């Protein structure tokens, strides 16, 4: 079970690295900002600093999850689990906040929150 939990937490981290890349690195591409529901180039230019900042939040959560997995893997179980639970709970909480932004955000919230939820549940039962 711990192997599956580790895989899911790793996938959640990878997803958040991907979100970081889209928001902080590739935001200038129309295919990227359209994916986030931005209507036109002017709006994309206006929201670029916000997306850039938000992308780094996603990166930091991913880094926290990976460090938690490393700590757990080298035998520092309490510290690793604490970091894993914190980062997964933060990812999950962010997806709940996203849902409160409007009906149009349910699908992205499910994408963002499903892996962390499964990761927490699997870690609890490992």
């Amino acid at each position: 079970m711990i192997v599956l939990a580790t895989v899911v937490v790793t996938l959640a981290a990878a997803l958040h690295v991907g979100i970081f890349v889209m928001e902080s690195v590739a935001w200038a591409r129309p295919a990227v900002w359209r994916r986030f529901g931005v209507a036109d180039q002017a709006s994309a230019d206006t929201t670029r600093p916000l997306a850039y900042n938000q992308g780094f939040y996603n990166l930091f959560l991913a880094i926290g999850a990976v460090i938690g997995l490393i700590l757990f893997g080298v035998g520092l179980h309490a510290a690793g689990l604490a970091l894993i639970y914190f980062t997964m709970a933060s990812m999950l909480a962010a997806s709940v906040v996203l849902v409160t932004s409007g009906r149009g955000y349910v699908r992205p919230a499910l994408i963002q929150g499903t892996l962390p939820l499964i990761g927490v549940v699997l870690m609890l039962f490992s």
Side-chain angles (χ1 to χ4, degrees):
M1 183 81 73
I2 192 64
V3 172
L4 184 57
T6 300
V7 169
V8 172
V9 170
T10 302
L11 289 173
L15 173 66
H16 281 74
V17 169
I19 294 169
F20 158 75
V21 169
M22 287 187 288
E23 292 177 337
S24 297
V25 177
W27 189 256
R29 298 180 188 154
V32 172
W33 49 257
R34 283 188 189 120
R35 179 175 288 175
F36 287 86
V38 176
D40 54 41
Q41 185 67 53
S43 297
D45 293 342
T46 300
T47 58
R48 184 178 182 140
L50 177 65
Y52 181 78
N53 185 32
Q54 189 170 295
F56 273 92
Y57 279 93
N58 285 292
L59 178 63
F60 299 148
L61 287 171
I63 290 169
V66 170
I67 291 172
L69 289 169
I70 291 168
L71 291 174
F72 187 84
V74 299
L76 298 171
H77 294 133
L81 283 174
L83 197 49
I84 290 166
Y85 286 139
F86 177 78
T87 56
M88 293 296 105
S90 295
M91 290 175 186
L92 185 57
S95 70
V96 170
V97 171
L98 189 57
V99 167
T100 67
S101 300
R103 283 188 166 166
Y105 296 101
V106 171
R107 184 173 182 267
L110 287 171
I111 292 169
Q112 180 178 334
T114 301
L115 287 171
L117 176 61
I118 294 169
V120 166
V121 170
L122 289 173
M123 281 299 208
L124 286 171
F125 288 107
S126 293

